Amino acid sequence: MTVKAMKSGAVEFLTKPFEDQDLLDAIQQALDRDRLWRRQQNNFAGLRKCYEALSAREREVMGLVVSGLLNKQIAFELGISEITVKIHRGHVMRKMRAESLAELVRMASKLEPPSGRK
């Protein structure tokens, strides 16, 4: 019964008799976990909204940038000039609100579905 409850999302499994404080602690733990989950969902929704604001070309450039390609490699890959890549890259950074390439890579990894899922 305990295993089934935990797999169903139970935070704690209290056996009788239990102390009032144990129940209050379990409730607080559940509220804290829910608060964290909601914050993560809001952050992801904001990140998704920024990504959806990118044009198709900007998404292509973002994918190539976070994969580690240089501007000239991206330009060759897409058949555009290096200057155009720099412009798109600037738009990506601004629209995604990324302050660094490392931050953009972290954002991209959050947007990717876990392997095995689509």
Side-chain angles (χ1 to χ4, degrees):
M1 191 149 98
T2 303
V3 172
K4 185 178 180 182
M6 293 305 222
K7 284 184 177 180
S8 296
V11 174
E12 185 67 58
F13 192 84
L14 303 174
T15 55
K16 291 182 183 178
F18 57 84
E19 299 291 321
D20 290 347
Q21 190 59 47
D22 292 337
L23 177 60
L24 292 173
D25 291 346
I27 291 169
Q28 186 61 50
Q29 184 181 358
L31 290 171
D32 291 343
R33 183 183 290 181
D34 182 66
R35 193 174 301 114
L36 176 63
W37 181 83
R38 288 177 188 274
R39 188 176 318 121
Q40 289 171 340
Q41 291 302 310
N42 285 338
N43 290 344
F44 181 75
L47 185 59
R48 182 51 104 175
K49 188 174 180 180
C50 289
Y51 182 75
E52 289 171 358
L54 299 177
S55 69
R57 179 62 87 181
E58 290 166 347
R59 289 179 191 179
E60 282 181 298
V61 169
M62 179 178 165
L64 295 170
V65 165
V66 300
S67 72
L69 295 182
L70 301 172
N71 288 344
K72 67 172 100 178
Q73 294 169 315
I74 295 169
F76 179 77
E77 180 86 17
L78 298 178
I80 58 179
S81 73
E82 193 173 341
I83 297 293
T84 304
V85 171
K86 289 179 182 180
I87 292 169
H88 286 309
R89 188 175 177 153
H91 290 168
V92 168
M93 296 297 284
R94 182 178 49 77
K95 288 180 180 180
M96 292 299 294
R97 299 183 188 132
E99 294 183 20
S100 67
L101 177 58
E103 187 177 5
L104 187 66
V105 170
R106 282 191 295 275
M107 290 174 172
S109 70
K110 289 178 185 175
L111 289 167
E112 289 179 8
S115 54
R117 292 172 142 183
K118 289 191 177 191

